[in-house]
Amino acid sequence: MAVLDILKYPDARLHTVAERVPVVDDRIRKLVADMAETMYAAPGIGLAATQVNVHERVVVIDITETHDQLQVFINPEITWSSDTLQSYEEGCLSIPGIYDKVERPDAVTVTALGLDGKPFTLEADGLLAVCIQHEIDHLNGKLFTQHLSRLKQNRIRQKVLKMERERSAA
């Protein structure tokens, strides 16, 4: 296993739409293991393959504080979402230090393949539902900031660029 480099905003590769995984094989299982190690090391609660510059539909999530309940979603698809919305403060490993409230459906049903290549369906609500939607957005080339107003998006872009300049000067 290896810790992979996470692409940082405003890297254009973060807007690449990921391709479906044709077969769950050892290469995909290694990618999942590396993504899990990367997510835990960051530390984070979710990571999409797009964020590590692999443009395939693979997501890892672990919302536990003990980091012992890894969930893997290969070719995830949201098949249902509630009409009830919730607002959560979201952050992103690709946009470190930036957090803002995003409104999303309160509950979702997702279908995906597991590490064994077999399909499964999961009903999720609360933080897990938010995380699933956030990571699937990554697979579709979308960042959580794109759910915000243009004004907030511009402020975030300026803040990120300022942090980069300060890091470079140090």
Side-chain angles (χ1 to χ4, degrees):
M1 295 192 314
V3 173
L4 306 171
D5 290 331
I6 297 173
L7 298 178
K8 301 291 190 247
Y9 174 83
D11 193 311
R13 294 173 291 180
L14 288 167
H15 298 290
T16 304
V17 177
E19 299 287 330
R20 289 183 64 77
V21 173
V23 63
V24 179
D25 56 14
D26 287 343
R27 181 184 66 82
I28 293 297
R29 285 186 276 277
K30 180 180 183 330
L31 172 63
V32 165
D34 290 347
M35 286 174 59
E37 187 169 336
T38 302
M39 176 186 69
Y40 291 135
I45 61 171
L47 187 68
T50 301
Q51 293 176 271
V52 293
N53 202 29
V54 176
H55 303 288
E56 294 182 275
R57 299 187 75 79
V58 178
V59 165
V60 295
I61 294 174
D62 187 343
I63 61 171
T64 67
E65 292 194 18
T66 52
H67 299 152
D68 60 358
Q69 294 181 31
L70 182 69
Q71 294 180 279
V72 177
F73 301 85
I74 300 167
N75 297 333
E77 303 258 343
I78 294 174
T79 57
W80 174 85
S81 56
S82 69
D83 293 331
T84 307
L85 302 178
Q86 66 178 338
S87 185
Y88 260 91
E89 185 165 87
E90 294 188 29
C92 182
L93 296 177
S94 291
I95 317 173
I98 303 294
Y99 302 89
D100 213 318
K101 289 198 178 286
V102 176
E103 197 171 68
R104 297 184 186 268
D106 181 45
V108 296
T109 300
V110 62
T111 60
L113 300 177
L115 273 179
D116 58 5
K118 294 184 177 153
F120 69 91
T121 300
L122 176 75
E123 295 177 8
D125 59 10
L127 180 58
L128 181 57
V130 169
C131 197
I132 288 168
Q133 293 171 81
H134 177 109
E135 300 308 331
I136 290 176
D137 272 357
H138 276 300
L139 299 179
N140 294 328
K142 187 173 185 176
L143 298 169
F144 87 91
T145 55
Q146 291 174 264
H147 290 279
L148 306 174
S149 70
R150 282 271 179 233
L151 177 63
K152 283 187 174 186
Q153 288 180 45
N154 288 334
R155 285 184 181 161
I156 288 169
R157 184 175 182 79
Q158 293 308 313
K159 186 174 182 179
V160 167
L161 293 173
K162 181 181 178 190
M163 289 188 310
E164 282 180 14
R165 282 193 304 272
E166 289 171 353
R167 242 181 273 123
S168 297

PDB file of all heavy atoms in Angstrom, residues 103-123:
ATOM      1  N   GLU A 103     -26.123  22.453   0.947  1.00  0.00           N
ATOM      2  CA  GLU A 103     -27.419  21.817   1.110  1.00  0.00           C
ATOM      3  C   GLU A 103     -27.547  20.671   0.116  1.00  0.00           C
ATOM      4  O   GLU A 103     -27.302  20.850  -1.081  1.00  0.00           O
ATOM      5  CB  GLU A 103     -28.522  22.855   0.867  1.00  0.00           C
ATOM      6  CG  GLU A 103     -29.861  22.440   1.387  1.00  0.00           C
ATOM      7  CD  GLU A 103     -30.861  23.574   1.336  1.00  0.00           C
ATOM      8  OE1 GLU A 103     -31.241  23.985   0.231  1.00  0.00           O
ATOM      9  OE2 GLU A 103     -31.269  24.035   2.426  1.00  0.00           O
ATOM     10  N   ARG A 104     -27.882  19.492   0.644  1.00  0.00           N
ATOM     11  CA  ARG A 104     -28.025  18.286  -0.174  1.00  0.00           C
ATOM     12  C   ARG A 104     -29.223  17.476   0.342  1.00  0.00           C
ATOM     13  O   ARG A 104     -29.666  17.678   1.474  1.00  0.00           O
ATOM     14  CB  ARG A 104     -26.779  17.404  -0.054  1.00  0.00           C
ATOM     15  CG  ARG A 104     -25.489  18.021  -0.567  1.00  0.00           C
ATOM     16  CD  ARG A 104     -24.371  16.993  -0.468  1.00  0.00           C
ATOM     17  NE  ARG A 104     -23.065  17.510  -0.803  1.00  0.00           N
ATOM     18  CZ  ARG A 104     -22.533  17.473  -2.021  1.00  0.00           C
ATOM     19  NH1 ARG A 104     -23.210  16.961  -3.014  1.00  0.00           N
ATOM     20  NH2 ARG A 104     -21.323  17.950  -2.246  1.00  0.00           N
ATOM     21  N   PRO A 105     -29.688  16.506  -0.470  1.00  0.00           N
ATOM     22  CA  PRO A 105     -30.737  15.617   0.030  1.00  0.00           C
ATOM     23  C   PRO A 105     -30.306  14.936   1.331  1.00  0.00           C
ATOM     24  O   PRO A 105     -29.144  14.551   1.489  1.00  0.00           O
ATOM     25  CB  PRO A 105     -30.912  14.607  -1.104  1.00  0.00           C
ATOM     26  CG  PRO A 105     -30.558  15.388  -2.330  1.00  0.00           C
ATOM     27  CD  PRO A 105     -29.406  16.273  -1.890  1.00  0.00           C
ATOM     28  N   ASP A 106     -31.261  14.791   2.245  1.00  0.00           N
ATOM     29  CA  ASP A 106     -31.023  14.226   3.570  1.00  0.00           C
ATOM     30  C   ASP A 106     -30.722  12.725   3.533  1.00  0.00           C
ATOM     31  O   ASP A 106     -30.017  12.210   4.387  1.00  0.00           O
ATOM     32  CB  ASP A 106     -32.267  14.477   4.427  1.00  0.00           C
ATOM     33  CG  ASP A 106     -32.136  13.946   5.831  1.00  0.00           C
ATOM     34  OD1 ASP A 106     -31.080  14.162   6.439  1.00  0.00           O
ATOM     35  OD2 ASP A 106     -33.080  13.291   6.317  1.00  0.00           O
ATOM     36  N   ALA A 107     -31.271  12.029   2.532  1.00  0.00           N
ATOM     37  CA  ALA A 107     -31.075  10.583   2.440  1.00  0.00           C
ATOM     38  C   ALA A 107     -30.948  10.194   0.971  1.00  0.00           C
ATOM     39  O   ALA A 107     -31.511  10.854   0.094  1.00  0.00           O
ATOM     40  CB  ALA A 107     -32.249   9.844   3.080  1.00  0.00           C
ATOM     41  N   VAL A 108     -30.174   9.133   0.723  1.00  0.00           N
ATOM     42  CA  VAL A 108     -29.983   8.624  -0.639  1.00  0.00           C
ATOM     43  C   VAL A 108     -29.955   7.102  -0.620  1.00  0.00           C
ATOM     44  O   VAL A 108     -29.694   6.486   0.405  1.00  0.00           O
ATOM     45  CB  VAL A 108     -28.666   9.133  -1.287  1.00  0.00           C
ATOM     46  CG1 VAL A 108     -28.685  10.640  -1.456  1.00  0.00           C
ATOM     47  CG2 VAL A 108     -27.439   8.681  -0.507  1.00  0.00           C
ATOM     48  N   THR A 109     -30.235   6.533  -1.774  1.00  0.00           N
ATOM     49  CA  THR A 109     -29.999   5.116  -2.005  1.00  0.00           C
ATOM     50  C   THR A 109     -28.942   5.041  -3.098  1.00  0.00           C
ATOM     51  O   THR A 109     -29.051   5.728  -4.127  1.00  0.00           O
ATOM     52  CB  THR A 109     -31.283   4.392  -2.452  1.00  0.00           C
ATOM     53  OG1 THR A 109     -32.270   4.536  -1.421  1.00  0.00           O
ATOM     54  CG2 THR A 109     -31.030   2.913  -2.689  1.00  0.00           C
ATOM     55  N   VAL A 110     -27.916   4.249  -2.853  1.00  0.00           N
ATOM     56  CA  VAL A 110     -26.822   4.119  -3.821  1.00  0.00           C
ATOM     57  C   VAL A 110     -26.653   2.645  -4.174  1.00  0.00           C
ATOM     58  O   VAL A 110     -26.786   1.767  -3.318  1.00  0.00           O
ATOM     59  CB  VAL A 110     -25.506   4.721  -3.262  1.00  0.00           C
ATOM     60  CG1 VAL A 110     -25.038   4.012  -2.020  1.00  0.00           C
ATOM     61  CG2 VAL A 110     -24.413   4.731  -4.305  1.00  0.00           C
ATOM     62  N   THR A 111     -26.388   2.400  -5.445  1.00  0.00           N
ATOM     63  CA  THR A 111     -26.008   1.057  -5.883  1.00  0.00           C
ATOM     64  C   THR A 111     -24.562   1.140  -6.346  1.00  0.00           C
ATOM     65  O   THR A 111     -24.120   2.165  -6.871  1.00  0.00           O
ATOM     66  CB  THR A 111     -26.894   0.533  -7.034  1.00  0.00           C
ATOM     67  OG1 THR A 111     -26.763   1.419  -8.145  1.00  0.00           O
ATOM     68  CG2 THR A 111     -28.343   0.433  -6.616  1.00  0.00           C
ATOM     69  N   ALA A 112     -23.825   0.064  -6.135  1.00  0.00           N
ATOM     70  CA  ALA A 112     -22.408   0.045  -6.506  1.00  0.00           C
ATOM     71  C   ALA A 112     -21.938  -1.403  -6.534  1.00  0.00           C
ATOM     72  O   ALA A 112     -22.682  -2.316  -6.187  1.00  0.00           O
ATOM     73  CB  ALA A 112     -21.586   0.847  -5.492  1.00  0.00           C
ATOM     74  N   LEU A 113     -20.683  -1.556  -6.923  1.00  0.00           N
ATOM     75  CA  LEU A 113     -20.015  -2.849  -6.807  1.00  0.00           C
ATOM     76  C   LEU A 113     -19.108  -2.790  -5.594  1.00  0.00           C
ATOM     77  O   LEU A 113     -18.516  -1.750  -5.295  1.00  0.00           O
ATOM     78  CB  LEU A 113     -19.173  -3.145  -8.050  1.00  0.00           C
ATOM     79  CG  LEU A 113     -19.892  -3.209  -9.389  1.00  0.00           C
ATOM     80  CD1 LEU A 113     -18.886  -3.431 -10.518  1.00  0.00           C
ATOM     81  CD2 LEU A 113     -20.948  -4.300  -9.384  1.00  0.00           C
ATOM     82  N   GLY A 114     -18.962  -3.931  -4.922  1.00  0.00           N
ATOM     83  CA  GLY A 114     -18.022  -4.034  -3.816  1.00  0.00           C
ATOM     84  C   GLY A 114     -16.684  -4.542  -4.311  1.00  0.00           C
ATOM     85  O   GLY A 114     -16.493  -4.791  -5.513  1.00  0.00           O
ATOM     86  N   LEU A 115     -15.742  -4.717  -3.397  1.00  0.00           N
ATOM     87  CA  LEU A 115     -14.410  -5.230  -3.751  1.00  0.00           C
ATOM     88  C   LEU A 115     -14.467  -6.621  -4.372  1.00  0.00           C
ATOM     89  O   LEU A 115     -13.566  -7.017  -5.101  1.00  0.00           O
ATOM     90  CB  LEU A 115     -13.505  -5.266  -2.519  1.00  0.00           C
ATOM     91  CG  LEU A 115     -12.758  -3.990  -2.208  1.00  0.00           C
ATOM     92  CD1 LEU A 115     -11.919  -4.154  -0.947  1.00  0.00           C
ATOM     93  CD2 LEU A 115     -11.902  -3.544  -3.365  1.00  0.00           C
ATOM     94  N   ASP A 116     -15.544  -7.353  -4.070  1.00  0.00           N
ATOM     95  CA  ASP A 116     -15.710  -8.690  -4.637  1.00  0.00           C
ATOM     96  C   ASP A 116     -16.313  -8.644  -6.047  1.00  0.00           C
ATOM     97  O   ASP A 116     -16.509  -9.682  -6.679  1.00  0.00           O
ATOM     98  CB  ASP A 116     -16.576  -9.554  -3.723  1.00  0.00           C
ATOM     99  CG  ASP A 116     -17.960  -8.947  -3.464  1.00  0.00           C
ATOM    100  OD1 ASP A 116     -18.300  -7.896  -4.064  1.00  0.00           O
ATOM    101  OD2 ASP A 116     -18.700  -9.527  -2.655  1.00  0.00           O
ATOM    102  N   GLY A 117     -16.626  -7.439  -6.530  1.00  0.00           N
ATOM    103  CA  GLY A 117     -17.203  -7.286  -7.857  1.00  0.00           C
ATOM    104  C   GLY A 117     -18.701  -7.496  -7.897  1.00  0.00           C
ATOM    105  O   GLY A 117     -19.321  -7.386  -8.957  1.00  0.00           O
ATOM    106  N   LYS A 118     -19.308  -7.763  -6.735  1.00  0.00           N
ATOM    107  CA  LYS A 118     -20.740  -8.019  -6.686  1.00  0.00           C
ATOM    108  C   LYS A 118     -21.504  -6.727  -6.389  1.00  0.00           C
ATOM    109  O   LYS A 118     -21.064  -5.917  -5.576  1.00  0.00           O
ATOM    110  CB  LYS A 118     -21.054  -9.070  -5.620  1.00  0.00           C
ATOM    111  CG  LYS A 118     -20.489 -10.428  -5.978  1.00  0.00           C
ATOM    112  CD  LYS A 118     -20.868 -11.473  -4.979  1.00  0.00           C
ATOM    113  CE  LYS A 118     -20.329 -12.821  -5.461  1.00  0.00           C
ATOM    114  NZ  LYS A 118     -20.081 -13.735  -4.387  1.00  0.00           N
ATOM    115  N   PRO A 119     -22.667  -6.560  -7.033  1.00  0.00           N
ATOM    116  CA  PRO A 119     -23.455  -5.356  -6.792  1.00  0.00           C
ATOM    117  C   PRO A 119     -24.116  -5.371  -5.415  1.00  0.00           C
ATOM    118  O   PRO A 119     -24.442  -6.428  -4.880  1.00  0.00           O
ATOM    119  CB  PRO A 119     -24.509  -5.382  -7.901  1.00  0.00           C
ATOM    120  CG  PRO A 119     -24.567  -6.782  -8.382  1.00  0.00           C
ATOM    121  CD  PRO A 119     -23.254  -7.432  -8.051  1.00  0.00           C
ATOM    122  N   PHE A 120     -24.295  -4.179  -4.867  1.00  0.00           N
ATOM    123  CA  PHE A 120     -25.024  -4.022  -3.610  1.00  0.00           C
ATOM    124  C   PHE A 120     -25.782  -2.702  -3.644  1.00  0.00           C
ATOM    125  O   PHE A 120     -25.488  -1.826  -4.454  1.00  0.00           O
ATOM    126  CB  PHE A 120     -24.091  -4.102  -2.392  1.00  0.00           C
ATOM    127  CG  PHE A 120     -23.156  -2.933  -2.255  1.00  0.00           C
ATOM    128  CD1 PHE A 120     -23.507  -1.813  -1.507  1.00  0.00           C
ATOM    129  CD2 PHE A 120     -21.894  -2.952  -2.863  1.00  0.00           C
ATOM    130  CE1 PHE A 120     -22.630  -0.730  -1.379  1.00  0.00           C
ATOM    131  CE2 PHE A 120     -21.018  -1.889  -2.734  1.00  0.00           C
ATOM    132  CZ  PHE A 120     -21.388  -0.775  -1.996  1.00  0.00           C
ATOM    133  N   THR A 121     -26.751  -2.593  -2.757  1.00  0.00           N
ATOM    134  CA  THR A 121     -27.533  -1.369  -2.599  1.00  0.00           C
ATOM    135  C   THR A 121     -27.454  -0.947  -1.143  1.00  0.00           C
ATOM    136  O   THR A 121     -27.499  -1.796  -0.244  1.00  0.00           O
ATOM    137  CB  THR A 121     -29.002  -1.607  -2.998  1.00  0.00           C
ATOM    138  OG1 THR A 121     -29.040  -2.018  -4.369  1.00  0.00           O
ATOM    139  CG2 THR A 121     -29.837  -0.347  -2.835  1.00  0.00           C
ATOM    140  N   LEU A 122     -27.303   0.349  -0.925  1.00  0.00           N
ATOM    141  CA  LEU A 122     -27.192   0.874   0.434  1.00  0.00           C
ATOM    142  C   LEU A 122     -28.092   2.096   0.571  1.00  0.00           C
ATOM    143  O   LEU A 122     -28.068   2.974  -0.294  1.00  0.00           O
ATOM    144  CB  LEU A 122     -25.736   1.263   0.724  1.00  0.00           C
ATOM    145  CG  LEU A 122     -25.459   1.915   2.074  1.00  0.00           C
ATOM    146  CD1 LEU A 122     -25.492   0.871   3.180  1.00  0.00           C
ATOM    147  CD2 LEU A 122     -24.119   2.623   2.056  1.00  0.00           C
ATOM    148  N   GLU A 123     -28.863   2.142   1.649  1.00  0.00           N
ATOM    149  CA  GLU A 123     -29.641   3.331   1.991  1.00  0.00           C
ATOM    150  C   GLU A 123     -28.846   4.089   3.040  1.00  0.00           C
ATOM    151  O   GLU A 123     -28.382   3.501   4.017  1.00  0.00           O
ATOM    152  CB  GLU A 123     -31.022   2.943   2.519  1.00  0.00           C
ATOM    153  CG  GLU A 123     -31.883   2.272   1.472  1.00  0.00           C
ATOM    154  CD  GLU A 123     -33.232   1.819   2.007  1.00  0.00           C
ATOM    155  OE1 GLU A 123     -33.576   2.165   3.161  1.00  0.00           O
ATOM    156  OE2 GLU A 123     -33.925   1.113   1.264  1.00  0.00           O
TER     157      GLU A 123
END
